[in-house]
Amino acid sequence: MANLQELLKAKSETILEHWFDLIIATYPAESVQYFKRTKDAFQNPVGHTIHREMKAVFDELLTGLDRERVSPFVDRIVRIRAVQDYAPSQAVGFVLGLKQVVRKALAKELEAAAGARGLLDQLTDFESRVDELALIAFDIYMACRQKIYEIQAQEVKSMYYNVLRRADILCPIPEQEEPDMPPEK
Amino acid sequence: MATQTPKPQEIAKGLSHQPPSENWMDTKPEFRSGMYCHPVKVASLEGMGGAFAREWNPTEADWKLPADWKGIVKDGLKDRLRRFRSFQVFMDICVRCGACADKCHFFIGTGDPKNMPVLRAELIRSIYRGEFRTAGKILGKLAGGRKLTEEVIKEWFYYFFQCTECRRCSVFCPYGIDTAEITIIAREILNLLGLQIDWIGTPVNACYHVGNHLGLKPHTFKENIEYLLGDIEENVGITIEPSFNRKGAEILFVTPSGDVFADPGIFTCMSYLILFEYLGLDYTWSTYASEGGNFGFFTSNETMKRLNYKMYAESKRLGVKWILGGECGHMWRVVHQYMDTMNGPADHLEVPRSPITGTVFENAKSTKMVHVTEFTADLIKNGKLNLDKSRNDHYTVTWHDSCNTSRGFGFLEEPRYVLRNVVNNFYEMPDQTIREQTFCCGSGSGLNAGENLEQRFRGGLPRANAVQFVHEKHGVNMLANICAIDRAALKPLMDYWVPAVNVCGLSELVANALVIPGEKAARSTNLRGEEINDLREEAGLEPIEWPEEDEEGGEAGEEGEE
Ligand code: SF4
Ligand code: SF4
């Protein structure tokens, strides 16, 4: 029986390339070549980070999906996209795109296996992991947006804090319970 | 933020955010929350005698431009082409080689082609060709020219207030074209139509009428510093009584007002106070020239001159010999590049000579202004400071070259010299991100407003990325710099990208390392009120043995106890 993990491993280079192309294509056409070709990690932090972390995420998906382990990789990609003027769906949508990329890369094998449940079942499993990954990405996206608002509030506070303190019009705020938040990672 | 939701097949094709494939000249910017700065308040613009003060909103179609806006822009452009030779040359000589294209932090962080310096300049160059050059007038787009429309003005507002005038692009241009100067002119022209942002316009007005960007009146300014003196007494255990507006002092000290009241700038300010007290310097603060920064620089040539003038005026009124300046970025670009020709020669002042070391600052012969970092470097070189750099051992520091001090002022070695003398753990970021090639904080040139935070985070991404690298590689936990805007802007930038890294001014590290004669128990806390030994413990270091409590029965010891 064909083993999906082996197949994905064998084709990982093509899959990653197409997955990367897919996310990079969400940037303006004139900039795509720059994001793809500029190899220097410091001259091209966006392209470089996305490339590096996508590979790490993919490797993780091959063997399972450990939320804690995969989160830092997804975080580095989503953190960038969360400030790049994308709608939430656009910021995290690249995760779901992996399903089509994989199906395309395995088109021949899937056709050959048509009828035999083995490979398809494995693919279904893999795709549910991708769905779960999308949810993780969305949690991270929300945490990033939340962070932006917190920082915004903090910036205003630190600007006026000393003026208020000097005017002696601050009163200590009693300890409050943390509001319910979605888990950060 | 964009609102349209992509369809699944679009996600697969990855086309949802693809810009229209039309020629770049035909695409329009969208003004979305988080990506632009708010327009200037009417009162602020009027306060400076600015033209066409009005309520308007960038997200609305009608910007209420004056009736003859086209004529105003054309005349404004013509006038500047005549007055500024560099501008004329920059309009003509770009060969569009693309060497600058991917060097701008805003391009790197956004991928928006109009953030490529070459295209940013082309936004105005195309009008220059289309309206002033025969070929462009006749051939239009074929000759790279286009006509002036309201859309062009909106595009200018969007992209010229998304350039921090950092000059990184100019380092890579084989012709030395400085897109920052093109932005400066473009903003001047926008100003002619009353198009200014509030984060620049309001501080400028406050500075002109009150003396500093924050509009702190003289007594408030003084009280703010006195408050910091209270903190110093509590946390360091020394009592300082600086003077204000004192005639006959040897030196006038001027620093950006952000140092006087905003975190973490106040720690830098406390450090100046401690250093000057340690030296017994004969200096005074001015509550009128209470701003070293100059947002006029981001407005127009004339406004910059008006705001800058007060430093010389105050030095004359107080009869000081020379001026010492605090840690700031654009303040020093203005002093270094323009002050002398704008408001000099300062014949009422003497060539600065350090009263402690006797060093004559030949480099400041003309402006008569010395940077606190070179002043400090000279003190260290002459062995005038008793420094124990192990007191900063819980910090692993990297150095951010501010655009203005590095590319605008050539200040590369002095801060590093000081840094190496006050910390043991110092690691540089990669070569292509420091010194002349340093990456901007993303918030310079008056763009450090609150409302455009996302834009700032995108622009600051390349800087943060390099900090993250040294954080992961060397455990860097402190980003030091000598710029008030950096101190304010890098903190939130780090909170978002590399939260484990804190931000400080160089002088703060100097004050930490300074061994003060007769130190008391209070010295066991740093300027931020943190227990130094707690920080050391966290870093796995041995505690420092601080002096015993209240040795001489001084009050400071008691206060330090709490
Ligand atoms: S001056 Fe700086 S911000 Fe402006 S275009 Fe050049 S690199 Fe970009
Ligand atoms: S590097 Fe200079 S000549 Fe080349 S495109 Fe940029 S501005 Fe033009």
Side-chain angles (χ1 to χ4, degrees):
Chain A
M1 187 181 74
N3 180 315
L4 181 73
Q5 195 181 333
E6 311 257 284
L7 280 175
L8 290 177
K9 236 187 232 164
K11 300 200 176 218
S12 68
E13 215 165 289
T14 329
I15 294 175
L16 279 170
E17 198 187 314
H18 286 150
W19 196 26
F20 181 70
D21 283 354
L22 193 127
I23 192 169
I24 290 303
T26 60
Y27 292 94
E30 293 90 336
S31 314
V32 165
Q33 290 312 316
Y34 154 76
F35 282 130
K36 283 177 77 163
R37 299 250 169 88
T38 309
K39 293 285 174 243
D40 187 315
F42 301 99
Q43 296 295 348
N44 178 16
V46 173
H48 195 268
T49 305
I50 293 178
H51 199 268
R52 188 186 59 214
E53 304 306 333
M54 272 186 152
K55 187 173 181 323
V57 169
F58 187 70
D59 288 347
E60 178 67 26
L61 276 173
L62 285 180
T63 51
L65 188 68
D66 184 300
R67 192 181 177 106
E68 218 157 279
R69 242 191 350 243
V70 81
S71 286
F73 312 140
V74 183
D75 187 296
R76 280 183 208 118
I77 301 175
V78 172
R79 191 164 293 275
I80 293 175
R81 298 191 51 92
V83 293
Q84 283 184 326
D85 206 11
Y86 288 101
S89 55
Q90 293 170 324
V92 301
F94 72 94
V95 174
L96 294 173
L98 179 60
K99 292 205 275 192
Q100 273 101 334
V101 170
V102 165
R103 277 188 181 258
K104 217 167 163 186
L106 300 183
K108 261 199 220 125
E109 288 79 358
L110 287 171
E111 212 182 306
R117 296 297 315 157
L119 190 61
L120 274 182
D121 284 347
Q122 292 175 56
L123 186 63
T124 312
D125 275 356
F126 177 81
E127 290 186 337
S128 338
R129 287 205 293 275
V130 174
D131 289 340
E132 202 188 325
L133 185 69
L135 295 177
I136 294 174
F138 193 70
D139 283 345
I140 293 174
Y141 174 84
M142 285 312 291
C144 288
R145 299 296 308 176
Q146 173 89 14
K147 188 81 195 166
I148 294 169
Y149 301 130
E150 275 169 23
I151 293 173
Q152 210 154 20
Q154 184 56 42
E155 202 174 41
V156 175
K157 252 203 275 179
S158 66
M159 202 180 294
Y160 294 107
Y161 176 75
N162 288 294
V163 174
L164 298 176
R165 191 175 67 133
R166 192 182 46 71
D168 203 16
I169 49 178
L170 286 178
C171 63
I173 299 166
E175 286 280 316
Q176 281 178 347
E177 294 235 327
E178 282 284 313
D180 279 344
M181 290 288 179
E184 276 236 357
K185 270 168 195 170
Chain B
M1 195 195 307
T3 45
Q4 73 274 31
T5 311
K7 300 198 176 53
Q9 63 270 36
E10 283 177 334
I11 295 177
K13 280 198 258 147
L15 292 176
S16 60
H17 199 71
Q18 190 109 359
S21 53
E22 307 119 76
N23 187 299
W24 66 267
M25 285 187 195
D26 302 323
T27 60
K28 292 177 201 161
E30 260 186 77
F31 286 88
R32 283 191 290 248
S33 168
M35 304 298 168
Y36 68 92
C37 295
H38 296 157
V40 64
K41 287 186 198 74
V42 171
S44 302
L45 200 53
E46 279 173 352
M48 292 301 291
F52 306 112
R54 64 187 182 279
E55 301 277 353
W56 64 283
N57 183 346
T59 61
E60 283 167 12
D62 182 7
W63 283 23
K64 303 177 189 164
L65 296 179
D68 182 30
W69 68 268
K70 223 181 240 189
I72 296 172
V73 171
K74 280 195 204 170
D75 289 349
L77 207 52
K78 212 184 282 169
D79 175 46
R80 282 159 184 82
L81 286 165
R82 185 180 52 79
R83 275 160 62 210
F84 306 114
R85 179 96 188 103
S86 58
F87 182 51
Q88 169 81 63
V89 169
F90 293 167
M91 284 295 104
D92 282 325
I93 62 166
C94 171
V95 293
R96 278 176 272 181
C97 68
C100 63
D102 58 355
K103 302 304 185 295
C104 173
H105 50 287
F106 280 115
F107 172 73
I108 294 173
T110 60
D112 181 343
K114 286 186 205 174
N115 274 327
M116 292 176 179
V118 53
L119 277 197
R120 199 188 304 286
E122 206 69 16
L123 298 177
I124 197 161
R125 200 178 275 128
S126 55
I127 300 301
Y128 164 71
R129 287 201 207 95
E131 300 279 358
F132 293 95
R133 285 293 196 223
T134 320
K137 271 196 224 169
I138 300 167
L139 298 172
K141 278 185 197 170
L142 279 179
R146 60 173 174 169
K147 288 290 168 203
L148 188 56
T149 63
E150 278 197 48
E151 293 309 322
V152 168
I153 297 298
K154 292 179 181 176
E155 191 181 46
W156 284 6
F157 183 81
Y158 191 77
Y159 288 102
F160 289 119
F161 285 103
Q162 196 174 168
C163 162
T164 43
E165 304 180 0
C166 77
R167 306 180 89 195
R168 187 168 195 269
C169 49
S170 75
V171 173
F172 299 89
C173 175
Y175 295 91
I177 293 175
D178 186 355
T179 306
E181 289 202 11
I182 296 175
T183 296
I184 290 171
I185 300 283
R187 289 193 187 180
E188 277 199 32
I189 293 171
L190 287 167
N191 275 208
L192 298 176
L193 303 175
L195 301 174
Q196 173 63 289
I197 64 169
D198 195 53
W199 198 260
I200 294 175
T202 292
V204 162
N205 184 44
C207 193
Y208 189 56
H209 292 284
V210 185
N212 54 69
H213 290 154
L214 304 162
L216 302 177
K217 298 199 170 110
H219 60 283
T220 317
F221 184 81
K222 179 166 176 266
E223 281 166 20
N224 254 316
I225 291 178
E226 282 165 352
Y227 216 83
L228 299 183
L229 297 173
D231 284 355
I232 293 174
E233 196 157 318
E234 189 174 319
N235 292 326
V236 185
I238 55 172
T239 311
I240 302 176
E241 285 173 22
S243 67
F244 295 88
N245 305 320
R246 177 166 58 88
K247 290 193 176 168
E250 184 179 356
I251 299 163
L252 168 65
F253 181 65
V254 182
T255 200
S257 62
D259 282 356
V260 175
F261 95 122
D263 280 358
I266 51 169
F267 309 122
T268 309
C269 191
M270 291 184 205
S271 307
Y272 308 141
L273 287 158
I274 292 169
L275 177 69
F276 301 159
E277 178 70 15
Y278 176 97
L279 298 170
L281 208 61
D282 177 15
Y283 79 108
T284 193
W285 295 78
S286 163
T287 57
Y288 301 98
S290 48
E291 179 63 74
N294 189 334
F295 272 31
F297 177 39
F298 313 134
T299 309
S300 70
N301 208 2
E302 292 73 20
T303 313
M304 162 168 67
K305 179 174 175 169
R306 275 162 107 181
L307 298 191
N308 174 264
Y309 180 71
K310 65 178 180 293
M311 292 203 240
Y312 280 160
E314 267 300 81
S315 64
K316 197 169 200 170
R317 184 179 74 90
L318 298 173
V320 301
K321 290 188 180 151
W322 55 279
I323 307 172
L324 182 61
E327 296 182 10
C328 184
H330 68 279
M331 161 181 177
W332 287 99
R333 180 144 148 216
V334 172
V335 169
H336 183 67
Q337 297 188 348
Y338 309 107
M339 188 179 194
D340 199 25
T341 43
M342 270 185 326
N343 290 318
D347 290 337
H348 60 284
L349 296 171
E350 294 174 13
V351 177
R353 180 182 164 280
S354 169
I356 315 298
T357 65
T359 300
V360 176
F361 292 92
E362 294 285 343
N363 57 319
K365 208 178 198 162
S366 190
T367 60
K368 319 284 199 304
M369 277 192 73
V370 174
H371 193 294
V372 71
T373 299
E374 58 186 333
F375 181 71
T376 307
D378 173 63
L379 292 168
I380 295 173
K381 184 124 199 161
N382 286 286
K384 298 293 181 191
L385 301 182
N386 183 4
L387 296 166
D388 174 1
K389 52 179 168 174
S390 75
R391 290 186 179 185
N392 278 317
D393 276 357
H394 48 287
Y395 294 135
T396 303
V397 184
T398 194
W399 179 251
H400 166 66
D401 289 282
S402 307
C403 309
N404 282 314
T405 52
S406 59
R407 284 189 287 269
F409 185 46
F411 219 42
L412 303 171
E413 297 309 329
E414 295 87 340
R416 285 177 169 79
Y417 175 77
V418 173
L419 192 56
R420 287 201 179 90
N421 277 284
V422 295
V423 303
N424 280 313
N425 317 317
F426 164 41
Y427 296 96
E428 292 274 19
M429 286 180 269
D431 287 349
Q432 62 274 51
T433 73
I434 55 170
R435 295 177 179 264
E436 291 90 344
Q437 296 188 44
T438 188
F439 274 118
C440 179
C441 61
S443 301
S445 79
L447 302 187
N448 55 326
E451 63 267 17
N452 62 335
L453 202 62
E454 284 159 67
Q455 191 190 66
R456 288 167 47 193
F457 285 174
R458 307 191 298 190
L461 188 158
R463 169 75 303 155
N465 179 60
V467 176
Q468 182 160 29
F469 176 76
V470 284
H471 167 65
E472 282 167 8
K473 188 162 178 206
H474 304 292
V476 161
N477 59 7
M478 188 57 94
L479 179 57
N481 62 80
I482 39 169
C483 169
I485 289 182
D486 278 329
R487 282 190 286 282
L490 289 173
K491 185 72 184 58
L493 190 75
M494 289 301 112
D495 284 349
Y496 186 74
W497 295 110
V498 207
V501 176
N502 214 328
V503 176
C504 74
L506 180 58
S507 292
E508 185 180 344
L509 295 171
V510 174
N512 287 346
L514 201 59
V515 180
I516 301 168
E519 282 180 332
K520 306 228 174 70
R523 196 77 172 110
S524 66
T525 47
N526 64 18
L527 297 173
R528 301 177 182 224
E530 302 158 329
E531 280 296 333
I532 294 170
N533 281 344
D534 290 351
L535 298 173
R536 292 178 70 89
E537 198 182 322
E538 265 172 52
L541 299 166
E542 291 290 309
I544 294 176
E545 287 196 20
W546 298 104
E548 283 301 310
E549 202 59 49
D550 203 15
E551 275 172 11
E552 287 150 31
E555 290 159 333
E558 274 168 42
E559 282 188 31
E561 204 180 347
E562 63 164 22

